[in-house]
Structure formats: structure tokens, C-alpha cells
Amino acid sequence: MDQLEQTTIDTQFNTQWDTLIVGGGPAGLSAALHLAFHGRTVLLLDRRTGPLFYTLTELWNVPGFVGQTGVSIQKTMRLEAQRAGAKLEAGSVSHISGMAGNFRLETEKGAVYHAKTVLLATGVARYHPLVNGKYEPWLKYAAKGNTYYCPDCEAPELLGQDIVVIGVGTANGALGAAIDLLEFAKRVRLLLIGSTEFTGAMLHKQEKLGLEVIVGQIADVDGAKGKVKAVILEDGTRVEADGYYIASPKLPRNDLAQQLELEITATGHIKTGWRGQVKRFDTPHEHWLEGVWAAGDVQPQTQQVSIAAGSGNIAAVMIDQYLTKLEPRRLGLEPGVRFVHPEKPSLSSQKPS
Ligand SMILES: Cc1cc2nc3c(=O)[nH]c(=O)nc-3n(C[C@H](O)[C@H](O)[C@H](O)COP(=O)(O)OP(=O)(O)OC[C@H]3O[C@@H](n4cnc5c(N)ncnc54)[C@H](O)[C@@H]3O)c2cc1C
């Protein structure tokens, strides 16, 4: 991009937002709701790859949303943040620079935004099983019927079922998931399509448990309407089960944190204080960096909707207090202001943008 084009885009987006939130899953949306409700100007940019955008199975452990699909929860949370006044836009942020009071964020398409504070709520990237070397064929089934990704969230749903754990990453990781599921399932087998070697303590655990291990690559999936009937291996073996649990590496999306030189844990999560405060990698313990917070799965914490939303809320309270420290407001003195309850149109008649 030449300099003239860059300047034009910069000028076009010269609003300075109180807070720019990167990531529109439960963490980012819950923060957007809180901040907008408190009268802050909030822009949320999201590339829309979060799990709830495509999860058609019901979630049973999210208070206030029990029995609703991920898609419906995501839609409701977006709508509520918008109703409070947050602006939600599609965009993939690729660059971040600046400091508290004036951050500059740029998207892959070259749009530039400025904000006083930033919340990183970018989640983790998960890997799907490859079918004939491609992940796309699996998307027809991912979280749509009888494929599962999160033992902490979903294990009780597998009560009394015959389950195959598909190990996409390490054999140890697959065995760890299988052990969690054994508390609920009738039978658990392992299908290892990634690494096949158990090591250290996990080797001993597998020797003790003696779980059936199948090794091979998936050539095809026999299924319909989001439900897998069988996975078919390259040697023709048909692996049938009631449900399929995907044990895959979960890689925190920490590229923006790296650009800000934030401290990252050994697992790739953004290291935070319990309120989502972050620090630069070379600064002393609890020397928090001004103006930036992180929330949700990108933090080193259990990956669940209510935990992500809660951490987004905590960070938003901190951001709001920080903004007040920068410049206290007297919103109540503005002529004619009254608190107006956001209108509550029925969710079914609303399409979040
Ligand atoms: C199949 C499946 C089923 C699950 N079931 C349950 C369940 O039953 N109960 C439960 O409690 N939890 C469940 N979870 C876990 C839950 O979905 C996550 O813990 C939760 O979504 C995390 O929220 P988050 O906001 O931190 O991140 P995410 O929801 O992952 O959202 C992050 C968003 O940030 C966006 N993003 C990332 N980088 C950028 C960037 N640079 N620019 C712009 N946007 C960006 C992504 O596209 C994404 O939309 C499940 C997860 C999966 C995968």
C-alpha cells in the first residue's frame, strides 16, 4: 500500500474510540456490553471464527442459556451488546501499535482505527481432523451433531455412549481427553491420526487402562445432517461410534500480544493478572501495562463460555475505571439526559449485523 492510500484510510477512520475490542466471542461481547452500557464508545472487530458461530449442538452449562445452541447464544450476546450501543464490525486485526491513550490498530484489509484502550479477546485456534488431507470436509460435522471438543463442557452428554476420541495432536493429549470421558461413557477407544506414541506418565496410564488404539488416516466420513455414522480409514477400516471427541491442540491467538511484546506463557496464552491486566515480557512481576487487557480463552484458564464472559466483564470494569482516571465525566449534567432502557425487540425478529 502506498503512503497516500494509507493516509486516506487513516483519515477516514479518525474517530478515537474509548475502547477497541479485538474478538467477538463471549469475552469480547460481554466486555462490549458493559462498556457501552456505561457510556463508553466501543468498537468490536471480529473475524467471526469463534466456536459459537458454528456450534449447532446445545450447550447445557451456560447459566441463562441452558439448552440453547452456540449459534443462538452468540446471536443473543451480539444483539445485547449492540442494543447497549457498542458497534460491532467484521474485520481481522493484523497490526497493533501505540500506547495507552492512543493505540493504532490496522486490519488485514488496511482499515485503521484508533483507541484509548484495547481489550484482546482473540480466543484459541482449534484443529479439526483431516479427511483425505483436508480439514474442510470435517466442517459439515464439527459441533453439529455427535462431534465434541470440550470434555469440561460436554462430557456428561456422552453418558453411556460408545465414544471414539480422535487424536489430532499428541497421543498423550488424546489419552488425557479419553480419561476424562471414561467417567461418563460406556466405552472409549482412541483413533490416533496425529502422533501415536504415549510418553512419560501417560504411557503407564495407557498400560494400566489398556484402551483400544486404532492408528490410521481418515479417508472419508459416512454421515448425514451433521451426524457422523462412521469414519473410514485409508485401509478401508470403518470406525463406528455413538459420538466422536476431537482431541486437538488449542493454540492461543497471541500474534497481537506478541506485537505489543506482552508476556506469554509456555502454552502460548497471554499472561494476565486476575482482572485481565497484562505486562510486557521484560518488566517486573505485577508491573501491568497501561491501557491493554486480555480476556477469555486467550488467557490461561478453563475454556468455557461463562468463564470467558466473566473475564470479559472483569476486564471491562477495569477499563471503565481506567478511562475515568484519564478523564472523569459528568454525564448527568448534560441537558435533558435520562437513562433510557434499551428497546427490547423480540430476538427472533432481529438480525444482528
Ligand atoms: C465445539 C465446541 C463446543 C463447546 N461447547 C461448550 C459448552 O457446551 N459450554 C461451554 O461453556 N463452553 C463450550 N465451548 C468453549 C467456548 O466456546 C469457549 O470457551 C468460548 O467461546 C471462548 O470465548 P472467547 O470470547 O474467549 O473466544 P472465542 O469464542 O473463540 O472468540 C474469539 C473471537 O476472536 C476472533 N479473532 C481472533 N483473532 C482476531 C483478530 N486478530 N482480529 C479480529 N478477530 C479476531 C475470532 O474470529 C473469534 O470470533 C465449546 C467450544 C467448542 C469449540
Side-chain angles (χ1 to χ4, degrees), residues 10 54-55 137 163 209 304:
D10 255 313
Y54 59 83
T55 302
I163 297 301
L209 287 168
Q304 291 215 314

Side-chain angles (χ1 to χ4, degrees), residues 26-99:
L29 288 168
S30 133
L33 172 65
H34 181 90
L35 286 162
F37 173 59
H38 280 77
R40 303 298 178 187
T41 58
V42 186
L43 174 66
L44 182 151
L45 294 172
D46 184 33
R47 62 164 87 125
R48 300 184 183 178
T49 58
L52 299 193
F53 279 102
Y54 59 83
T55 302
L56 289 175
T57 48
E58 291 157 327
L59 276 57
W60 298 105
N61 56 347
V62 185
F65 292 107
V66 169
Q68 292 191 35
T69 65
V71 168
S72 141
I73 295 171
Q74 176 81 19
K75 192 173 168 187
T76 304
M77 291 183 90
R78 281 175 62 83
L79 197 55
E80 288 173 346
Q82 282 176 312
R83 277 198 210 133
K87 191 162 167 46
L88 313 185
E89 282 186 10
S92 180
V93 179
S94 53
H95 290 96
I96 185 166
S97 58
M99 58 179 72

Side-chain angles (χ1 to χ4, degrees), residues 214-275:
I214 307 159
V215 175
Q217 296 305 313
I218 301 173
D220 202 0
V221 180
D222 175 11
K225 295 187 178 164
K227 200 161 178 214
V228 177
K229 282 193 212 147
V231 292
I232 294 128
L233 305 185
E234 279 174 348
D235 66 2
T237 309
R238 204 180 146 84
V239 183
E240 287 185 19
D242 298 325
Y244 299 82
Y245 177 84
I246 316 308
S248 73
K250 298 172 182 67
L251 301 183
R253 297 195 190 92
N254 61 21
D255 43 328
L256 299 176
Q258 288 194 38
Q259 290 175 31
L260 290 169
E261 300 185 333
L262 302 186
E263 191 166 353
I264 308 280
T265 68
T267 52
H269 294 88
I270 303 176
K271 197 164 186 176
T272 66
W274 73 270
R275 297 182 177 108

Side-chain angles (χ1 to χ4, degrees), residues 172-217:
N172 281 359
L175 181 59
I179 290 169
D180 286 346
L181 301 182
L182 271 174
E183 283 203 77
F184 296 93
K186 178 174 68 187
R187 175 163 80 138
V188 180
R189 287 168 289 160
L190 296 171
L191 166 59
L192 301 180
I193 63 172
S195 95
T196 53
E197 262 185 61
F198 302 105
T199 54
M202 293 311 254
L203 178 61
H204 299 300
K205 284 192 182 171
Q206 167 58 4
E207 280 168 0
K208 207 167 148 200
L209 287 168
L211 295 182
E212 185 184 331
V213 177
I214 307 159
V215 175
Q217 296 305 313

